[in-house]
Amino acid sequence: MGTARTVAPAGARTTAPPAPAALAAKVRTLAPSMTRSMQRVAEAVAADPAGCAALTVTGLAELTGTSEATVVRTARLLGYPGYRDLRLALAGLAAQQQSGRAPAVTADIAVDDPIADVVAKLAYDEQQTLADTAAGLDTVQLGAAVTALAAARRIDIYGVGASSLVGMDLAQKLLRIGLIAHAHTDPHLAVTNAVQLRSGDVAIAITHSGSTGDAIEPLRVAFDRGATTVAITGRPDGPVSQYADHVLTTSTARESELRPAAMSSRTSQLLVVDCLFIGVAQRTYETAAPALAASYEALAHRHAPRSSNR
């Protein structure tokens, strides 16, 4: 039976401060979970990085009608050790923008938009979502998750709704390179399988909100049994992170009436899944390459044109 253990808060994990390009993505991802005063600080630095980079912590607090403590807390929530580090990132972001990089914008889809406009808007939002996720993805946490997966005896993946589709995609990829991976969409079976995990196994929960109980419960059980746990989430401060050794943060395009969060979150989750898979395939190349080749060969006849006797 596994022994109980605790994980340090998300902010205490070994992480690198976000690069300047990741700042806007961080604001878009975390703003919904911030207090209103912290949102004012976050929105101010994202809207005018050059102006805010020139301000002291007191100046930014006065500009946003908040307190110095709120400014510092916002900087830390965005991934920076302190306000000084945030100012450096703002200066870097301002320099990038002055070099001619186009500002990030998101266009809502209207009910009467021509289909050509729908295609263009969706394509732009998908590109922005992928760029934001790549910019904000913590490669230290990603590398640690890849290391655990490459050596895992068994891998369990939990997700519901759109996240379950992403989980099945990851399981299929890992199976094709010879790893034992299962995606669980039934919450009862997920928990009963999690009970069987132990040290050396890996459990992954995929939940954009970070608060999906049907994904969190089996992850908690796996965590308590001693398995290495990973959360793929758009809310790194959500409840799922309490039971995750490694947190991989995704970004989403802005939700609208005709484009619910499930659509844009799936795009960023699939990018993280592909990063995990490629990382594991690299680490296990000597066994992964032959296994992948064997799976292609086994399925080749299903892709060949069918002969007809007619």
Side-chain angles (χ1 to χ4, degrees):
M1 185 170 178
T3 56
R5 60 196 176 103
T6 58
V7 161
R13 295 185 180 89
T14 303
T15 59
L23 180 57
K26 277 280 188 178
V27 171
R28 281 191 288 272
T29 298
L30 297 177
S33 62
M34 292 179 178
T35 64
R36 184 63 197 116
S37 58
M38 293 175 73
Q39 285 178 353
R40 290 201 296 272
V41 175
E43 290 167 357
V45 298
D48 184 15
C52 292
L55 297 174
T56 64
V57 63
T58 303
L60 184 54
E62 292 176 351
L63 175 69
T64 56
T66 61
S67 65
E68 294 180 11
T70 298
V71 172
V72 173
R73 283 198 299 271
T74 305
R76 289 175 177 168
L77 183 58
L78 291 173
Y80 302 94
Y83 180 63
R84 177 179 177 275
D85 303 274
L86 175 60
R87 285 184 72 182
L88 291 174
L90 290 173
L93 180 58
Q96 289 178 354
Q97 291 179 342
Q98 290 171 0
S99 68
R101 182 177 177 178
V105 296
T106 302
D108 286 331
I109 297 173
V111 70
D112 57 351
D113 272 349
I115 194 64
D117 289 354
V118 171
V119 171
K121 290 180 179 181
L122 282 177
Y124 183 86
D125 277 354
E126 296 284 348
Q127 292 170 2
Q128 187 65 56
T129 297
L130 292 172
D132 285 352
T133 299
L137 192 57
D138 188 326
T139 54
V140 173
Q141 293 289 305
L142 178 64
V146 165
T147 298
L149 286 169
R153 179 188 71 99
R154 168 178 157 184
I155 301 161
D156 274 16
I157 306 164
Y158 317 121
V160 296
S163 294
S164 71
L165 303 176
V166 177
M168 287 188 282
D169 181 72
L170 176 57
Q172 178 186 3
K173 284 179 166 69
L174 296 176
L175 283 168
R176 293 192 70 175
I177 58 173
L179 299 185
I180 299 174
H182 304 282
H184 301 285
T185 57
D186 183 300
H188 292 180
L189 288 176
V191 172
T192 55
N193 276 271
V195 169
Q196 307 302 323
L197 299 182
R198 61 177 186 264
S199 178
D201 297 330
V202 175
I204 302 174
I206 305 175
T207 163
H208 169 63
S209 67
S211 57
T212 306
D214 287 340
I216 294 174
E217 185 179 6
L219 191 75
R220 177 188 61 78
V221 172
F223 177 80
D224 289 342
R225 305 299 286 191
T228 299
T229 53
V230 179
I232 299 176
T233 180
R235 300 286 182 265
D237 56 339
V240 71
S241 298
Q242 298 177 35
Y243 308 108
D245 296 302
H246 309 297
V247 177
L248 305 178
T249 305
T250 59
S251 179
T252 65
R254 187 172 58 188
E255 183 176 5
S256 65
E257 182 182 9
L258 295 178
R259 191 169 191 249
M263 292 176 64
S264 54
S265 65
R266 188 174 66 244
T267 300
S268 53
Q269 289 169 351
L270 286 170
L271 174 60
V272 174
V273 159
D274 282 353
C275 290
L276 286 171
F277 169 71
I278 294 298
V280 173
Q282 288 176 320
R283 298 284 182 93
T284 62
Y285 185 77
E286 289 187 1
T287 55
L292 192 58
S295 72
Y296 277 123
E297 183 178 352
L299 295 172
H301 71 283
R302 295 185 174 275
H303 300 290
R306 292 185 178 182
S307 60
S308 174
N309 294 325
R310 294 180 182 178

